Amino acid sequence: MIRTACHVPGDTASVLSVLQVQRWLRRCSATHSKYGSIGLDVSLPTRLIDVEFGLRLVETKGMHNRYVSLSHCWGDRDSTTAKRTFKITRENLSSSLENIDFTSLPRTFIDAIIFTRKLGLKYLWIDSLCIIQDDQDDWRHEASLMANIYENAVLTLGATASASGSAKIPKFPVLIRIDARITSKGKRYIVYAQRQLPHLMQYEPLYKRGWIFQERYLSPRFLHFASNELIWECREGMGCECNENKLLETTDSDPVGYFNAFKSYYLEAFTASPYRVQVAWRDVVHAYTELNLSHAKDTLPALSGITKKFIGLRPEDIYLAGLWESSFVYDLLWHAESYGILKKSLRPRLEKWRAPTWSWASIDSAVMTRGTSHNYGNDDEPRMTSCIDVLDVNCIPAGDDITGELSSGYAVLRGSVLAGYFRFKPRSYESHCIAKGGYEMSFFPDYRLDTDDDSRVQDGDCVFCLRIATDSPRRENSLDDFLVLRRKRGMIGTFERIGVMTLAVDGNDFYRMFESRREECAITIV
């Protein structure tokens, strides 16, 4: 089938491309008014780049105006190119307020500056130029403001196809002239052809980056500089230069629409029931943890903007290292995945502590829970009942932001516990097991247990299972959920989580043994 499409200029900096973006901006501003007008001045971020005349850093000090933000991949920060890339530090802060050398900037930044100028806007926000990179306090403060920074931007430019700051925003293939004819009325016309452009957004470099998750979701308007064309995304629709609108409107067969599904879950949470808000959060965690971060310490900060939006939806609730007080038991039921868009494998326990082991933020794998929309459709209440008493949960932030980095955390839970032994079967599909009284049951490990460090769990080591929740109401094929724990080395009476286990209630010998030998006790998990 031969379809008609719009001409793709082949250069994102072309007059035609800029005019198209301006049309998208005007249409969004006029028809999607609840998301803010493009002509509305807002309170500006702490610092911005003034691109109007020359180039310099501006400390806004309460100013109101309009600005554009940039979302991009840092690339390999340990590379020689990355080390030479200009960024704001305490040493060059004063001079940057006077002037920034245009030639010192990476190619992606230069392209973003040029495009901002062509849109007729004065200010641009770029993380490495507007946050002091060698000042931890400044970084934590600015990271806590990410929700406002991206939400208030007129437009976010996404260097979607660029794997690092040194890459140019791409130019696209030109059309091929096929024929020229004269109509019966004597009018001359020309026929051009181009391959149908793919819209496989999830494979672009930017979509593999953890920070893009909140940058994209919080931005009212996001412009993708993709591999083949410009793709527009706002909270009420999508568009592209080739104008394949029918493809972009679908969500079941089109990759763009499919990859946009998690954004829909996030936006729907703002009008959902309290339980569906809980489910939406777990969907967000699942999608977010499939992505990669250059620095492990960024796991919670890189989601802090979206977290703050959910705090607004759960004003009576308490946020706890990626979990929530009101749904703490059900939020505990995450397990590590070793598949997904990026096919992240099970990884070793982190060398440096980042979060308590009961939090998904303590590992680097993608996670899934039994309480997401993938499992339970559109239920408005959980299908599980808690089997534990949560006696105490405490998380201490490293700075002033409760959604940012942590310095410590623990949970005290009372419930039914059974001690057993770890069994490892390297050639078996069910390779990680708890053994007790001649019975064995497999579990999902949170991380690689065979590493040569303090996190290693060896065959024969003592481990424990703590029952967390059960299906409600009880029915045929009901399941109970357990945390798998071990004693924390060097800390008396303290445990750490190493996995999660699900047991069938009926006809299960291990479950019957658990019921006959379990003990009720309170344990502290760090």
Side-chain angles (χ1 to χ4, degrees), residues 241-293:
E241 285 189 289
C242 73
N243 202 31
E244 285 278 4
N245 288 325
K246 291 183 179 179
L247 285 177
L248 293 176
E249 288 171 359
T250 61
T251 58
D252 53 351
S253 60
D254 172 59
V256 173
Y258 175 78
F259 199 68
N260 201 40
F262 280 112
K263 186 166 186 175
S264 298
Y265 299 153
Y266 163 67
L267 295 174
E268 288 169 4
F270 292 87
T271 58
S273 67
Y275 175 66
R276 296 307 300 173
V277 170
Q278 296 178 20
V279 172
W281 172 257
R282 295 178 197 129
D283 283 324
V284 162
V285 168
H286 170 65
Y288 170 68
T289 54
E290 286 193 318
L291 308 179
N292 291 325
L293 290 163

Side-chain angles (χ1 to χ4, degrees), residues 200-444:
L200 302 177
M201 298 277 286
Q202 66 267 45
Y203 299 114
E204 299 282 18
L206 189 63
Y207 269 115
K208 300 175 184 179
R209 175 177 174 262
W211 281 96
I212 177 60
F213 194 83
Q214 69 173 10
E215 292 168 4
R216 174 179 170 234
Y217 284 17
L218 293 171
S219 299
R221 306 169 191 90
F222 200 103
L223 182 65
H224 297 276
F225 290 79
S227 296
N228 298 291
E229 60 180 334
L230 293 176
I231 293 180
W232 168 272
E233 180 181 21
C234 67
R235 291 174 179 171
E236 293 194 14
M238 299 185 73
C240 61
E241 285 189 289
C242 73
N243 202 31
E244 285 278 4
N245 288 325
K246 291 183 179 179
L247 285 177
L248 293 176
E249 288 171 359
T250 61
T251 58
D252 53 351
S253 60
D254 172 59
V256 173
Y258 175 78
F259 199 68
N260 201 40
F262 280 112
K263 186 166 186 175
S264 298
Y265 299 153
Y266 163 67
L267 295 174
E268 288 169 4
F270 292 87
T271 58
S273 67
Y275 175 66
R276 296 307 300 173
V277 170
Q278 296 178 20
V279 172
W281 172 257
R282 295 178 197 129
D283 283 324
V284 162
V285 168
H286 170 65
Y288 170 68
T289 54
E290 286 193 318
L291 308 179
N292 291 325
L293 290 163
S294 298
H295 295 291
K297 68 180 181 64
D298 290 351
T299 295
L300 291 173
L303 195 62
S304 65
I306 287 182
T307 302
K308 288 180 174 65
K309 302 302 293 183
F310 272 84
I311 288 175
L313 296 174
R314 309 173 77 163
E316 306 300 322
D317 216 338
I318 297 176
Y319 176 74
L320 300 162
L323 288 69
W324 300 81
E325 184 181 59
S326 68
S327 56
F328 188 75
V329 174
Y330 311 116
D331 291 344
L332 281 172
L333 298 178
W334 54 266
H335 68 270
E337 290 186 318
S338 57
Y339 58 90
I341 292 173
L342 302 181
K343 300 187 184 301
K344 294 172 75 172
S345 59
L346 202 62
R347 298 179 179 180
R349 176 79 85 193
L350 297 170
E351 292 183 11
K352 187 176 181 180
W353 186 92
R354 183 171 69 196
T357 59
W358 44 259
S359 167
W360 53 263
S362 67
I363 66 170
D364 271 342
S365 298
V367 302
M368 187 73 169
T369 74
R370 282 226 294 141
T372 65
S373 61
H374 301 282
N375 306 108
Y376 287 154
N378 294 315
D379 291 345
D380 278 326
E381 59 183 22
R383 292 189 183 182
M384 295 174 285
T385 299
S386 172
C387 295
I388 59 172
D389 294 321
V390 181
L391 304 182
D392 188 20
V393 184
N394 192 19
C395 293
I396 307 299
D400 297 328
D401 185 8
I402 62 171
T403 68
E405 294 178 67
L406 297 175
S407 62
S408 65
Y410 66 86
V412 183
L413 311 177
R414 179 185 294 276
S416 298
V417 180
L418 176 71
Y421 297 92
F422 176 62
R423 288 287 180 261
F424 181 59
K425 302 177 179 179
R427 293 179 178 84
S428 171
Y429 175 74
E430 298 179 337
S431 56
H432 300 77
C433 297
I434 297 177
K436 178 76 172 184
Y439 301 105
E440 292 183 353
M441 182 55 59
S442 64
F443 68 91
F444 296 101

Side-chain angles (χ1 to χ4, degrees), residues 20-309:
Q20 176 62 71
V21 175
Q22 289 174 334
R23 283 195 294 269
W24 280 329
L25 279 167
R26 287 194 299 270
R27 183 182 65 185
C28 181
S29 180
T31 62
H32 307 159
S33 56
K34 63 180 179 180
Y35 297 118
S37 168
I38 61 171
L40 183 66
D41 287 349
V42 296
S43 179
L44 297 180
T46 306
R47 303 178 193 91
L48 287 168
I49 306 300
D50 185 340
V51 304
E52 188 174 31
F53 302 109
L55 204 64
R56 67 187 181 94
L57 184 68
V58 175
E59 292 184 332
T60 60
K61 298 178 180 178
M63 291 168 52
H64 285 69
N65 209 307
R66 298 182 298 156
Y67 66 95
V68 172
S69 57
L70 175 67
S71 179
H72 68 101
C73 291
W74 280 71
D76 184 0
R77 296 191 185 193
D78 295 326
S79 67
T80 303
T81 302
K83 290 177 180 178
R84 288 201 305 260
T85 298
F86 181 83
K87 53 185 175 289
I88 297 299
T89 63
R90 279 295 173 193
E91 182 180 359
N92 64 26
L93 177 61
S94 296
S95 62
S96 299
L97 293 171
E98 299 295 328
N99 178 65
I100 294 176
D101 180 9
F102 195 77
T103 61
S104 69
L105 300 179
R107 186 69 235 186
T108 299
F109 292 8
I110 292 173
D111 288 345
I113 290 166
I114 293 171
F115 201 86
T116 300
R117 286 174 175 169
K118 290 190 174 185
L119 289 177
L121 294 168
K122 181 177 181 177
Y123 295 114
L124 174 64
W125 188 90
I126 302 176
D127 48 10
S128 60
L129 301 184
C130 297
I131 301 175
I132 303 173
Q133 297 299 302
D134 58 354
D135 187 326
Q136 189 176 56
D137 290 338
D138 188 72
W139 187 91
R140 285 175 176 164
H141 177 264
E142 294 302 306
S144 72
L145 301 176
M146 286 296 179
N148 289 334
I149 290 173
Y150 282 98
E151 276 194 320
N152 289 336
V154 168
L155 177 67
T156 295
L157 307 178
T160 307
S162 301
S164 69
S166 60
K168 290 185 67 175
I169 290 176
K171 295 184 178 182
F172 312 126
V174 297
L175 300 177
I176 300 171
R177 177 168 172 165
I178 294 180
D179 200 357
R181 295 185 181 275
I182 304 296
T183 68
S184 59
K185 296 182 179 180
K187 184 177 180 180
R188 187 173 185 270
Y189 68 92
I190 302 172
V191 178
Y192 292 91
Q194 66 181 22
R195 291 186 181 275
Q196 182 173 319
L197 299 180
H199 297 84
L200 302 177
M201 298 277 286
Q202 66 267 45
Y203 299 114
E204 299 282 18
L206 189 63
Y207 269 115
K208 300 175 184 179
R209 175 177 174 262
W211 281 96
I212 177 60
F213 194 83
Q214 69 173 10
E215 292 168 4
R216 174 179 170 234
Y217 284 17
L218 293 171
S219 299
R221 306 169 191 90
F222 200 103
L223 182 65
H224 297 276
F225 290 79
S227 296
N228 298 291
E229 60 180 334
L230 293 176
I231 293 180
W232 168 272
E233 180 181 21
C234 67
R235 291 174 179 171
E236 293 194 14
M238 299 185 73
C240 61
E241 285 189 289
C242 73
N243 202 31
E244 285 278 4
N245 288 325
K246 291 183 179 179
L247 285 177
L248 293 176
E249 288 171 359
T250 61
T251 58
D252 53 351
S253 60
D254 172 59
V256 173
Y258 175 78
F259 199 68
N260 201 40
F262 280 112
K263 186 166 186 175
S264 298
Y265 299 153
Y266 163 67
L267 295 174
E268 288 169 4
F270 292 87
T271 58
S273 67
Y275 175 66
R276 296 307 300 173
V277 170
Q278 296 178 20
V279 172
W281 172 257
R282 295 178 197 129
D283 283 324
V284 162
V285 168
H286 170 65
Y288 170 68
T289 54
E290 286 193 318
L291 308 179
N292 291 325
L293 290 163
S294 298
H295 295 291
K297 68 180 181 64
D298 290 351
T299 295
L300 291 173
L303 195 62
S304 65
I306 287 182
T307 302
K308 288 180 174 65
K309 302 302 293 183

